[in-house]
Amino acid sequence: MFKKSLFAFFIFLIISFSAYYFIYKKDKSFKNEKAIFSLDISVLQLEFIANDSLARTKYLGQTIELVAVVTNIDQANNVAVLDNKLYAFFTKNLPANLESGKVFIIKGRLLSYDETLEEFKMDHSTVVQ
C-alpha cells in the first residue's frame, strides 16, 4: 500500500511540474532573433494595399526590420510612431538615442494592420541602427 501511494505521489509531482513548465514557459526573445524581412515602411504599406490577405499571411506575426523616420515619441507608454504609420511598442524603456525626425531601423514582431487608418502595430521593438 505504501509503495502504491509513493508511486502515485511521484506521478502527481511529474505531471504537476510538466504542467507548470508548459503553462508558464518563458517568452520568446525577439531581441536575438534574426529578422525574416527587412524593408522600408512605405513598401510594406504598398504590399498591404495591393493584396491585404497575402500580405497578412506573409508579414503578421513575423520578426521584421523596418526603415522609417521617427515622427512621435511617447515616453510614458514606451511607444514610438514611425512615419505616422507604425506604432512600435518597446518592452522596456525607449532607447536614449531615439529622436524625432531621424531615420532608424526598428526590429520587432508585426502585430496588426488597420486598413481603415492604414496603420501598423509592432511589439518587442528594438533599435537596430
Side-chain angles (χ1 to χ4, degrees):
M1 178 72 173
F2 178 72
K3 287 184 180 182
K4 286 183 181 180
S5 298
L6 189 61
F7 180 73
F9 178 71
F10 281 119
I11 295 297
F12 174 74
L13 281 178
I14 291 171
I15 291 172
S16 298
F17 282 118
S18 299
Y20 176 80
Y21 283 112
F22 179 74
I23 293 170
Y24 296 107
K25 58 185 169 187
K26 287 187 174 182
D27 286 337
K28 187 177 178 181
S29 175
F30 289 93
K31 186 175 184 177
N32 299 330
E33 187 173 322
K34 187 174 180 171
I36 296 172
F37 300 103
S38 183
L39 56 148
D40 190 67
I41 195 164
S42 59
V43 173
L44 181 68
Q45 186 176 22
L46 288 175
E47 285 196 39
F48 272 88
I49 290 170
N51 191 342
D52 186 60
S53 61
L54 179 65
R56 283 181 188 274
T57 57
K58 185 177 179 181
Y59 294 112
L60 292 186
Q62 302 295 328
T63 303
I64 62 172
E65 287 181 352
L66 292 173
V67 179
V69 176
V70 176
T71 53
N72 193 4
I73 296 173
D74 183 1
Q75 291 281 350
N77 295 319
N78 294 332
V79 177
V81 181
L82 309 171
D83 284 343
N84 290 323
K85 298 175 188 171
L86 179 111
Y87 290 86
F89 295 92
F90 290 81
T91 52
K92 295 185 180 179
N93 294 335
L94 290 170
N97 63 344
L98 201 64
E99 297 178 22
S100 292
K102 289 192 175 182
V103 177
F104 285 95
I105 299 174
I106 306 288
K107 180 175 79 168
R109 179 180 62 175
L110 192 65
L111 285 179
S112 65
Y113 172 69
D114 184 355
E115 60 273 348
T116 306
L117 300 173
E118 296 182 347
E119 293 177 340
F120 297 95
K121 289 186 180 175
M122 175 186 281
D123 69 347
H124 298 286
S125 302
T126 56
V127 175
V128 177
Q129 177 184 345

